[in-house]
Amino acid sequence: SGARFRQHRGAPMQTLLSPSIMLRTAGVAIARGVGFRRTGVLAHRRDGVQCARVIRPMASAASSSTETAAPKTADLKDAAGKDISGSGIRRRFLEFYEQRGHARLPSSSLVPEDPTVLLTIAGMLQFKPVFMGQAERAVPCATTTQKCVRTNDIENVGVTARHHTFFEMLGNFSFGDYFKKEAIQYAWELATKEYGLDETRIYVSVFREDDEAYAIWRDVVGVPEERIKRLDEADNFWAAGPTGPCGPCSELYWDFHPERGAEGADLEDDSRFIEFYNLVFMEMNRDASGKTAPLKNKNIDTGMGLERMAQILQGKPNNYETDLIRPIIDKAASMAGISYDDADDATKLKLKVIGDHTRAVAYLVSDGVLPSNVGRGYIVRRLLRRVVRCGRLLGVKAPEGAEAFTPAIAEVAVGMSGDCDPEVANRARKIYEEFEREELRFAKTLGRGEEILADMIAAAKAKDAEAPKLSGDDAFTLYDTYGFPLDITTDVATEEGVAVDVDGFEDAMEVARTLSRDARVTVDVTAGDLLATIADELGEPTRFTGYGSLVEQSVTVRAIVRAGERVDSAGAGETVDVVLDATPFYAEGGGQVGDEGEIQLANGVILSVRDCRKAAGGRVFVHVCEVVGDSSSGNKPSVSVGDAVTAAVNAESRRRAKANHTATHLLQSALKRVVGEDVSQAGSLVNTERLRFDFNAPAGPTPAQLEEIEALVNGWIGDATDLVAREMPIAEAKSRGATAMFGEKYGDVVRVVDVPGVSMELCGGTHVANTAEIGGFKIVSEAGIAAGVRRIEAVSGPGVVELLNQREGVVRELAGALRVPPEEIAGRVTSLMDDLRAAQKEAEALRGEVAAAKSAALAADAIVASNGSRVLVARLDGVDPAALKSAAESLLAKLAGEAGEAGAAVVLGSGSADGKVGLVAIFDDEVRSAGGLKAGAVLGAAAKACGGGGGGKPGFAQAGGRDATQLDAALDDARDTIVAALSK
C-alpha cells in the first residue's frame, strides 16, 4: 500500500522488459551509456544485462549538448503502440480500474486531515476514516493517483535509483466490496496484460501465514511456487497502528536478472528486484490487548509507484531518467551549461536532487505550504534551500533579467503537473513567487552563514585535528540564526572532513520545540474506535437542528461514554460524553468552537454542556457534559440511556460566535480586495470572545490597508445585508465562485453561505441572518506567525465595546500619570522619549571615556610573541559592547604602531553583575597572515566557553555569553591559541 511502499536501498542495474515491450519512435537505434549489441528486439549490455531496446530519433548535428536528451512524452510507445509515458501509465491504470467498476476520485491535498502525520505519505490516507470505521463509504470501490511526500530518508535522494521526496501513488481500493482473490487477479491482469510485463519475470511475496493468498497466486493465477516467497511481519503485514484494522500484504516484484534463476532468489536484493505493486488485505481488527478479530467488512488498499513503473516500462536505469523527472533535470543542466549524460556521478547527484526537490516544493506550495522554520513549512524551506545550494555548486545561472534561477526550473515541474493535479498550474504565479522569494532570502544569509560555518569548521579542526567535530549547538545556531538546514551543514562539513554532532543538534532542537510547542490534546485511538462502534450500532447519524433553532425538545439520550468506556448511566459530578438522536448544538468544525449550553431532564437533572464535537467521521455529535443536576427533591441526580431530554444552546454564546464567524467571512473578502486576490486562508478560530484569521501573504498589510479593511467590513455591516445559506452540489458551488477553505475536505453536497455582492463561501458554521446583527468590527492585532503566513485577530459586536472600554481605561490611567489631558498624551510621551535618548547618548559617551581611560593602562600588559607580534588579551568589566569595541580599536592602533610589520591582536572581555559576558577581538592583517588566525574562530570558542555564541569576519568579531564565571579561563585559552599560532 501507499502506507508501506518501500524505498529500496541499493543502486539498481539496468531495467528489463519483456520481448513484447520496446520503446518505439520513427528513427534509428541509438545506444547510450554502456555499449550495446542488438539481438532481435532485445538489446544486451556488455555486462550481460538484457534491456528493452530504446529507439530514438537521431539527434541533429546542430543541437546543443545541453539540450534535453529525454524523449518527448508523445514518443514513448511500446511494441503494441501503447503509451508508456508517465502520463500514459497513470491514465491506463485509472482507466483499467474504472472499467472494472471503480470510481475515479481526485488526489487529496498534501496537507492531510489526519493529525498523526505531517504530510500525505500514502494513497490510502484520505480513506483512513472509512477503513477505521469512522466514516461511511461514499462508493464501494475507488481508484486514485495520490501525490505524496516523504522526507524520512532525504539523504538517499539521488543516491539510490528509487528514493524520492515527492512521488505519485497509483491505487485501487475496495471498501467491503471485493477482496483478496479479485485484488490479486486485477493486479496480475494489469501488470501482464495492460502493461505487458513478462509474467516469467514477476515474483510475488505473501505473509508467511497467509495460505489463502499463496493458494490464489499458485492455483488461480498460476505463478510457480519458486516465484512465491513467504515473508515475515516486517515486510508483509500492515497495521493502522497499535489498535485498529490490520492484515497481511502481498507484493509484486520485477526481476532485473532472470538469468540468475529462482533458486535462492532474495527479494531484498535491490540490484535484482524492485517492488512495484503492493496489495494490503485488511481483514482483522486489533484491540488494545493485542487480540485480533475478523473485520465485518474486509477492505483492499493497494499502491503502485508511478515512478517505479515508469522506470520499468521506459527501460531506464533509475526513476530520475524517466520522463517524470528528467525534463526538470535537463532544464537545470542547460542553465548550468552542462549535459547530464556527460556529467560525473557527483554532478548527476546534484541534478537529481534539483529534479526531485523542485517537484516536491512546487506541489507543496500549491497546496498552501509555505517556507518557514516550523512543521511543514520547514520541509519546504529545507528542500528548496537544497535546490539553491546544489544549483549554486553547479553554476546554474538565472535567466537574463531575473534575480533567481529556481522559478525557471519550477516552470518545467508546473508544466508537467496537469494530469496529476490541475490546480498546480492554476497556482503557478504563487509557486514561482515563493521559489524566488525563498531563494533570494537564502542568498542573503548564505554568504554570511558560510563564513560562520567556515569559522566553526576551522575552530573544530584547531581543537581536534585528528577527529574534528562540529558541535550540535553550533549546527543549531546555523539552523536557527542563518536558516541552514542540518543536511547542508553536514554536507559542507563532510566535504571539509569534519563530523557533525547530530544528536547534539537534535537535543538543541528539542529544547527549542519545548519552549515554543503549542498545547496538544492526546488522541486515544481506542476511544475513536468506541464512538465509531456506537455510530455503527445506532445506524442513523445525529440530526443537527441548530441552524434554525437553539432548543430541541423530546430528544433521546442514545449513548453515554465515561472515561473511554460505554456506560448506561452517569451521576452528579461526573464528566461524560453524551450522544443524542438530534441536537441544536453546533459541533466544533470549520474553525468555529462547539456550542455551550444545557441538557435538561424532566426531573430537574441538568447536564452542563461545555463543548460539542463530531466523532466517527461526523456521524455522531458528542456533547461533553458534567452532570450537575438538582438534588432538592432528595433523589441523586443521574442521566441514563433512553432518557427524554431537552437540549438548549446558550443563546448569548451562540450569538457572539456566529457574529464573529460572519465577520471572518467579511474580513477575508476585505483582505482579497485590499491586499490582493492571491490572499488565501491558512486557518481560523472563531469563538465567543474574538476571531482569528490566518492567511498566506508575503508581507503584512500596511497600517493604511488595515484601516481600509476595517472600514470595508464595518461598511458591509452597516449595509444590513441578508445572508443566504443553502445546500447545493459542490460543482455548482464552485461554478458560482464560492470560496473553499484550502485543504478542507468536502462532500458531494455542500452548504454555501452567501453575503450577496460581498462574500460566498463553502461553510457549515453558524452565521447571523443579517450583517447588521454583527454590530461592529475592530482589528486587535496583525502579525506574522511564519514565513509567508500572517495572522489577524479581531473582535465584533459586544467585543468591540469591551475592547474600547479596556483601552479607554488605559488612556485615563496614562493621562493621570503624565498629568496631561488625553489628547496631549502622544506629545508628552514623545518629549519624554527625546529626553531619554539624549541622556542615554550622554551616558554612552561617558562610558566610552571611562573605557578608554581604563584601556590605556592595559597596553602595558601586552605580550610579545616569538615573531614580534603584540598580543593583548584582557578583561575590562562593566563596559558595554560599543565601548568595548572602541577600547579594542584604540589599543590595536597603539600596539600595531609599536609592533611595526609584526602586527598586533587584541581580545577584550567584559563581565557584568548579572553574569552576562561581552567579547570583542580585532586582528590586523599581519597577525592573520603570520598565524593563519581568524578573529571569528578564536572568539567563537571563547563565547561558547561562556555559554554563548557569535562570530564575525577574519579581522573583527564580537560575541556574547551568559556565564561570566568562565570568562577568565576563556580569555586564557584565547591568548594561548593566538600565541601558539604566531609561534609556529
Side-chain angles (χ1 to χ4, degrees):
S1 91
R4 59 179 306 280
F5 202 89
R6 292 198 299 259
Q7 300 258 28
H8 284 260
R9 293 177 295 280
M13 304 297 287
Q14 176 70 32
T15 303
L16 270 173
L17 302 178
S18 70
S20 64
I21 301 178
M22 64 179 179
L23 308 184
R24 186 176 62 183
T25 63
V28 296
I30 303 175
R32 295 181 181 271
V34 296
F36 287 83
R37 58 184 176 83
R38 285 180 290 172
T39 305
V41 295
L42 285 181
H44 291 258
R45 281 191 358 195
R46 287 175 184 155
D47 57 7
V49 181
Q50 288 181 318
C51 70
R53 176 152 51 98
V54 180
I55 306 176
R56 298 190 179 112
M58 181 70 76
S60 167
S63 66
S64 168
S65 63
T66 61
E67 291 299 317
T68 175
K72 294 181 180 179
T73 297
D75 295 333
L76 292 170
K77 306 288 184 181
D78 64 13
K82 291 185 177 180
D83 187 352
I84 56 171
S85 66
S87 178
I89 296 167
R90 180 195 300 113
R91 174 183 50 77
R92 291 165 64 189
F93 182 98
L94 297 173
E95 289 178 351
F96 177 89
Y97 282 103
E98 278 187 304
Q99 293 164 4
R100 288 153 182 79
H102 293 63
R104 185 191 296 200
L105 300 181
S107 170
S108 63
S109 170
L110 285 170
V111 180
E113 291 185 329
D114 188 339
T116 65
V117 291
L118 195 64
L119 294 168
T120 297
I121 57 173
M124 61 80 65
L125 204 59
Q126 66 171 304
F127 304 117
K128 185 177 176 181
V130 179
F131 289 139
M132 297 289 287
Q134 297 170 353
E136 294 191 30
R137 68 180 192 182
V139 294
C141 48
T143 184
T144 66
T145 177
Q146 175 64 52
K147 51 192 178 182
C148 302
V149 169
R150 297 181 191 171
T151 59
N152 55 315
D153 45 14
I154 190 173
E155 69 279 356
N156 286 324
V157 169
V159 177
T160 72
R162 310 169 190 116
H163 277 87
H164 297 292
T165 53
F166 177 87
F167 59 95
E168 284 187 63
M169 189 64 74
L170 303 170
N172 56 288
F173 309 89
S174 169
F175 313 111
D177 189 42
Y178 64 84
F179 195 52
K180 195 173 296 186
K181 179 180 178 181
E182 295 86 351
I184 289 174
Q185 288 178 311
Y186 286 155
W188 188 256
E189 182 182 0
L190 175 73
T192 62
K193 304 302 181 186
E194 177 61 39
Y195 289 144
L197 296 181
D198 182 352
E199 63 184 51
T200 67
R201 309 267 290 287
I202 299 176
Y203 281 65
V204 297
S205 67
V206 298
F207 179 51
R208 66 167 187 270
E209 299 173 5
D210 192 357
D211 296 331
E212 180 186 6
Y214 190 98
I216 294 172
W217 282 115
R218 180 190 61 196
D219 302 333
V220 178
V221 176
V223 178
E225 287 189 315
E226 62 266 23
R227 297 208 313 274
I228 307 175
K229 305 293 182 180
R230 293 183 185 265
L231 300 178
D232 293 332
E233 288 96 333
D235 296 299
N236 278 68
F237 196 88
W238 178 89
T243 63
C246 56
C249 308
S250 186
E251 297 164 333
L252 283 74
Y253 292 78
W254 180 250
D255 184 3
F256 294 134
H257 289 280
E259 74 280 0
R260 297 181 185 176
E263 185 176 353
D266 180 6
L267 297 181
E268 292 296 307
D269 180 358
D270 293 330
S271 68
R272 177 173 180 181
F273 294 105
I274 179 174
E275 175 201 347
F276 66 88
Y277 206 178
N278 184 34
L279 319 177
V280 177
F281 312 124
M282 295 187 200
E283 58 188 26
M284 293 174 282
N285 187 74
R286 180 184 290 138
D287 63 21
S289 68
K291 294 180 180 179
T292 58
L295 281 172
K296 178 181 177 182
N297 293 318
K298 298 180 179 181
N299 304 310
I300 292 293
D301 159 30
T302 79
M304 172 185 284
L306 174 61
E307 291 80 8
R308 296 187 181 196
M309 184 52 70
Q311 179 193 347
I312 293 171
L313 293 181
Q314 294 176 18
K316 300 297 180 182
N318 55 66
N319 294 355
Y320 297 93
E321 296 186 30
T322 69
D323 71 322
L324 293 166
I325 306 176
R326 180 65 185 266
I328 307 173
I329 290 175
D330 285 329
K331 178 64 176 179
S334 69
M335 293 173 68
I338 58 178
S339 166
Y340 174 85
D341 291 324
D342 298 332
D344 57 28
D345 289 343
T347 298
K348 285 184 176 180
L349 172 61
K350 293 180 180 66
L351 288 168
K352 289 174 183 177
V353 169
I354 292 174
D356 172 88
H357 290 6
T358 298
R359 279 209 311 170
V361 173
Y363 281 90
L364 283 165
V365 172
S366 173
D367 276 359
V369 184
L370 303 182
S372 72
N373 280 341
V374 295
R376 301 181 184 98
Y378 175 60
I379 291 174
V380 173
R381 171 158 289 168
R382 181 186 183 193
L383 296 177
L384 187 42
R385 291 189 172 188
R386 280 172 63 94
V387 171
V388 174
R389 182 168 186 271
C390 287
R392 285 167 62 105
L393 292 173
L394 292 173
V396 176
K397 305 296 183 184
E400 186 175 352
E403 294 184 82
F405 66 82
T406 53
I409 301 175
E411 286 182 18
V412 180
V414 171
M416 297 165 59
S417 66
D419 293 331
C420 175
D421 181 4
E423 289 302 312
V424 176
N426 294 337
R427 302 185 179 103
R429 187 175 73 170
K430 178 68 173 176
I431 293 169
Y432 303 149
E433 287 175 351
E434 289 302 325
F435 268 84
E436 179 179 34
R437 185 176 297 111
E438 184 62 18
E439 179 183 343
L440 297 180
R441 181 186 289 123
F442 188 37
K444 290 179 180 178
T445 60
L446 187 59
R448 175 67 174 146
E450 286 176 334
E451 287 182 3
I452 300 297
L453 178 54
D455 287 344
M456 290 176 174
I457 288 173
K461 289 180 176 180
K463 183 177 181 180
D464 186 349
E466 296 297 323
K469 190 172 190 177
L470 196 68
S471 72
D473 288 340
D474 283 345
F476 180 73
T477 297
L478 287 165
Y479 159 76
D480 194 43
T481 305
Y482 299 101
F484 267 46
L486 177 62
D487 45 292
I488 288 183
T489 298
T490 303
D491 288 347
V492 176
T494 301
E495 291 168 3
E496 294 289 332
V498 176
V500 177
D501 180 7
V502 176
D503 291 339
F505 172 85
E506 293 297 340
D507 290 343
M509 277 287 289
E510 185 55 36
V511 170
R513 292 190 192 103
T514 301
L515 292 174
S516 61
R517 183 179 290 129
D518 291 331
R520 298 185 184 273
V521 178
T522 301
V523 178
D524 186 344
V525 177
T526 56
D529 290 345
L530 175 59
L531 291 167
T533 300
I534 291 173
D536 289 339
E537 292 180 6
L538 297 181
E540 291 295 322
T542 303
R543 180 168 50 87
F544 177 59
T545 62
Y547 289 136
S549 173
L550 297 183
V551 179
E552 190 69 27
Q553 298 179 334
S554 300
V555 295
T556 304
V557 177
R558 303 292 302 278
I560 302 173
V561 175
R562 180 181 59 213
E565 294 185 0
R566 194 170 181 179
V567 296
D568 293 327
S569 63
E574 292 183 330
T575 298
V576 292
D577 294 340
V578 174
V579 177
L580 307 175
D581 60 345
T583 183
F585 284 82
Y586 179 78
E588 180 179 353
Q592 182 177 334
V593 297
D595 277 329
E596 301 173 347
E598 294 181 344
I599 296 176
Q600 305 158 355
L601 277 71
N603 61 4
V605 173
I606 295 174
L607 281 69
S608 176
V609 180
R610 300 185 308 208
D611 192 13
C612 185
R613 53 185 171 78
K614 294 180 181 179
R619 288 181 289 164
V620 295
F621 284 40
V622 179
H623 305 76
V624 181
C625 311
E626 181 182 357
V627 184
V628 293
D630 179 2
S631 57
S632 58
S633 63
N635 296 323
K636 183 178 180 180
S638 67
V639 61
S640 302
V641 174
D643 284 346
V645 299
T646 295
V649 175
N650 183 302
E652 176 61 16
S653 295
R654 169 68 77 82
R655 187 175 75 82
R656 294 176 69 127
K658 68 182 184 181
N660 282 337
H661 202 152
T662 304
T664 304
H665 284 212
L666 301 183
L667 171 60
Q668 178 166 213
S669 291
L671 279 165
K672 287 181 175 291
R673 297 193 185 193
V674 176
V675 179
E677 285 296 326
D678 286 344
V679 167
S680 61
Q681 184 174 351
S684 67
L685 173 66
V686 175
N687 60 28
T688 59
E689 302 299 324
R690 62 179 57 202
L691 62 95
R692 187 181 74 202
F693 186 78
D694 299 342
F695 58 100
N696 295 315
T702 65
Q705 288 177 319
L706 289 175
E707 288 184 11
E708 186 179 354
I709 290 166
E710 271 191 358
L712 272 175
V713 174
N714 282 308
W716 291 327
I717 291 171
D719 289 341
T721 303
D722 289 332
L723 274 71
V724 179
R726 56 177 175 169
E727 292 187 344
M728 64 182 68
I730 189 168
E732 179 183 349
K734 289 183 177 180
S735 68
R736 288 172 176 262
T739 300
M741 169 61 182
F742 193 78
E744 192 77 13
K745 194 171 183 180
Y746 299 96
D748 294 332
V749 177
V750 295
R751 184 170 181 264
V752 176
V753 176
D754 184 16
V755 183
V758 177
S759 164
M760 181 185 292
E761 295 192 30
L762 276 58
C763 182
T766 62
H767 290 272
V768 298
N770 185 287
T771 57
E773 295 177 31
I774 299 173
F777 174 83
K778 181 66 180 175
I779 293 175
V780 177
S781 65
E782 191 283 329
I785 58 171
V789 182
R790 311 293 301 182
R791 171 173 291 174
I792 285 179
E793 295 198 23
V795 291
S796 71
V800 175
V801 176
E802 293 166 1
L803 176 67
L804 293 177
N805 287 338
Q806 178 190 13
R807 292 185 175 178
E808 175 64 21
V810 173
V811 169
R812 283 199 303 269
E813 186 175 346
L814 278 174
L818 297 173
R819 299 182 180 181
V820 295
E823 60 270 17
E824 295 180 14
I825 288 176
R828 179 62 175 148
V829 170
T830 300
S831 176
L832 290 172
M833 290 298 294
D834 289 341
D835 292 344
L836 178 61
R837 278 191 288 269
Q840 287 174 334
K841 188 174 294 186
E842 183 179 352
E844 184 177 335
L846 289 172
R847 284 193 295 269
E849 292 176 9
V850 172
K854 287 183 178 181
S855 65
L858 292 176
D861 295 333
I863 61 176
V864 180
S866 60
N867 71 333
S869 297
R870 299 299 195 272
V871 178
L872 175 62
V873 179
R875 179 165 178 163
L876 198 60
D877 286 341
V879 179
D880 65 24
L884 200 64
K885 178 186 176 186
S886 297
E889 290 172 339
S890 175
L891 284 166
L892 184 75
K894 179 176 177 58
L895 294 174
E898 296 175 359
E901 295 182 358
V906 175
V907 177
L908 296 181
S910 177
S912 62
D914 60 1
K916 292 183 179 179
V917 173
L919 291 161
V920 64
I922 307 180
F923 299 171
D924 64 13
D925 293 342
E926 290 76 13
V927 165
R928 295 202 304 274
S929 176
L933 291 164
K934 292 183 178 180
V938 173
L939 207 65
K944 184 177 179 182
C946 295
K953 298 179 179 179
F956 172 78
Q958 275 189 297
R962 299 182 295 275
D963 186 2
T965 63
Q966 302 300 314
L967 179 56
D968 288 335
L971 292 174
D972 289 342
D973 288 342
R975 182 186 298 107
D976 293 344
T977 298
I978 298 169
V979 172
L982 293 173
S983 299
K984 291 180 180 178

